[in-house]
Amino acid sequence: MKKKEIEDIFGGILEKEHDVSAGMAAIQTLLTVLERDTSETVQELDSNLQAAVDAMKKTDYPVTAVASGSELFLRFITLAKLDTKTFGECKSIMLHRGQLFLNKLKEARGKVAKLASAFIVDGSRVLTHSKSRVVLKAMKEAARANKRFEVYITVSSPDNSGQDMCCLLEKENIPCTLILDSAVGYVMEQVDMVMVGAEGVVESGGIINKVGSYTMAMCARELKKPFYVLTESFKFVRLYPLNQHDLPDEFKYTSSKLKEDLSKEHPMVDYTPPSYITLLFTDLGILTPSAVSDELIKLYLWCAGWFHLLSSPSQLKNFTCTFFRKLFLFTGGGSFGGTAMHVVAARWVPIA
């Protein structure tokens, strides 16, 4: 497929389905590309899928979730090429696993919302930033449980996405107040907790989110308010930034802005270190920031070997040796018994 076609499919999904995030739209686009692809070899198909990911990254939509979701999706479906003898069979299995993957992700937001809504109690005052679909879902869950609470929402410059969030909450009859981004410190002492979404969760347990999230997290810690992050696991990204400038430019700016002088441009996202985050509510469960690295091992290492065991039990011995050798290297050669037990207990990967 041509680059323009891929961009149109990706953009069309986001414009027509307002409840779909950029990461989910990217995965749906990759499934469409896979269905329509006319490749005759696995190598050519891999190349076309990667070209589709690159094309979506060149659009002016948020890139963080596109990068993480696409990487995990491709890693998951391309395992089929190791399990089959013919290309036709391989592609058929890829499509089947891709649909399984997408269906699993569609359930994720509801799981996160259910976990987080339990932390909203009667009389709560919640501060949130920008527009987050998963935070909105959690608040809807709490409201349907007849909990009475109030929400403060930042306007969230420069796109004023907080206004959209406020309108959506008002439709659900949830009391909300729109505040200036610069009023976060003033309002913080009045609230009981902060709940934000995330465009990406990095290896350290920190998050990449709409610019202003880091400021809010610092204010929350100073006033000893819990800072909760609600996010789906497909947004876990293999990245380890040390500071704001360590974030890749493609994450901080839209594709069109990358061609301009970035010193005069405002970033769209910032990085909030794990020390400012109280808990992360995910479809994997409620995690502390330090647990994120363990979950990444499950998603990327355990997933890589799971289907080998399903398709050929005789490969169990070889897989086990390779898996723990990689894990040994991952931990720097130190003790990894506890980590290994966590990995073996992986509960996310859907089974074909």
Side-chain angles (χ1 to χ4, degrees):
M1 291 179 67
K2 295 181 180 180
K3 179 183 175 183
K4 185 67 169 61
E5 288 181 86
I6 294 166
E7 290 175 351
D8 289 344
I9 293 170
F10 179 57
I13 292 171
L14 289 171
E15 288 173 12
K16 293 176 184 176
E17 302 178 39
H18 299 293
D19 202 38
V20 173
S21 66
M24 288 287 288
I27 292 167
Q28 289 183 33
T29 302
L30 287 175
L31 262 178
T32 303
V33 171
L34 184 58
E35 287 173 356
R36 300 182 185 179
D37 191 81
T38 57
S39 301
E40 296 181 353
T41 65
V42 171
Q43 186 176 4
E44 187 181 358
L45 178 58
D46 281 349
S47 178
N48 290 344
L49 288 171
Q50 190 55 56
V53 174
D54 294 338
M56 289 185 284
K57 287 182 178 180
K58 294 285 171 42
T59 62
D60 280 345
Y61 293 101
V63 169
T64 311
V66 172
S68 61
S70 297
E71 182 182 4
L72 194 59
F73 175 80
L74 292 179
R75 190 178 184 88
F76 183 79
I77 67 164
T78 52
L79 291 170
K81 64 189 179 186
L82 301 174
D83 302 340
T84 57
K85 294 181 180 179
T86 66
F87 177 72
E89 185 182 354
C90 173
K91 187 174 178 180
S92 176
I93 292 177
M94 280 183 170
L95 285 167
H96 174 63
R97 290 180 179 174
Q99 194 59 54
L100 279 176
F101 187 89
L102 183 61
N103 292 340
K104 189 73 175 178
L105 295 190
K106 286 179 179 177
E107 299 171 1
R109 190 180 298 167
K111 292 179 181 178
V112 178
K114 189 173 181 180
L115 288 173
S117 64
F119 280 65
I120 301 175
V121 297
D122 273 334
S124 294
R125 289 183 173 183
V126 184
L127 174 63
T128 190
H129 182 52
S130 186
K131 177 186 175 182
S132 167
R133 296 172 182 83
V134 68
V135 171
L136 177 63
K137 181 85 171 175
M139 291 177 176
K140 286 181 179 179
E141 287 281 336
R144 287 166 187 162
N146 297 318
K147 295 178 181 179
R148 294 168 296 175
F149 59 97
E150 187 177 353
V151 182
Y152 291 90
I153 311 163
T154 55
V155 172
S156 190
S157 297
D159 61 359
N160 298 334
S161 53
Q163 292 180 348
D164 293 337
M165 182 74 166
C166 190
C167 291
L168 292 169
L169 287 171
E170 286 175 343
K171 286 180 181 178
E172 298 294 325
N173 296 318
I174 298 173
C176 54
T177 304
L178 200 62
I179 66 169
L180 295 172
D181 293 356
S182 54
V184 166
Y186 179 85
V187 170
M188 190 64 72
E189 63 182 20
Q190 303 174 41
V191 303
D192 300 298
M193 70 188 80
V194 178
M195 279 189 172
V196 300
E199 291 191 20
V201 181
V202 299
E203 292 181 55
S204 63
I207 64 166
I208 301 169
N209 197 39
K210 182 72 180 290
V211 68
S213 299
Y214 183 34
T215 305
M216 188 176 284
M218 287 193 289
C219 289
R221 190 169 79 164
E222 184 64 26
L223 292 177
K224 297 179 174 57
K225 307 290 184 177
F227 187 87
Y228 299 134
V229 176
L230 283 62
T231 184
E232 302 96 328
S233 60
F234 73 86
K235 293 181 179 178
F236 285 18
V237 57
R238 291 196 295 178
L239 191 69
Y240 203 110
L242 301 176
N243 51 43
Q244 305 299 329
H245 297 288
D246 222 15
L247 284 178
D249 285 342
E250 65 172 358
F251 285 11
K252 293 189 286 186
Y253 307 98
T254 58
S255 179
S256 58
K257 295 292 184 184
L258 290 174
K259 302 171 186 176
E260 302 175 13
D261 182 4
L262 297 181
S263 65
K264 300 184 184 299
E265 295 293 334
H266 291 289
M268 299 300 295
V269 299
D270 59 23
Y271 166 60
T272 302
S275 56
Y276 293 92
I277 298 170
T278 309
L279 291 172
L280 294 102
F281 295 86
T282 76
D283 47 304
L284 304 175
I286 302 174
L287 309 176
T288 60
S290 60
V292 170
S293 60
D294 279 350
E295 295 301 330
L296 274 166
I297 293 173
K298 295 176 189 178
L299 290 176
Y300 287 98
L301 288 182
W302 179 252
C303 180
W306 180 255
F307 287 104
H308 291 288
L309 304 188
L310 289 177
S311 60
S312 180
S314 63
Q315 296 178 350
L316 175 59
K317 182 178 179 181
N318 290 336
F319 167 69
T320 303
C321 293
T322 303
F323 174 75
F324 284 106
R325 183 166 63 250
K326 287 183 178 180
L327 190 59
F328 183 76
L329 294 173
F330 182 87
T331 57
S335 173
F336 56 85
T339 305
M341 289 303 292
H342 284 302
V343 175
V344 172
R347 56 192 179 282
W348 182 87
V349 182
I351 298 174

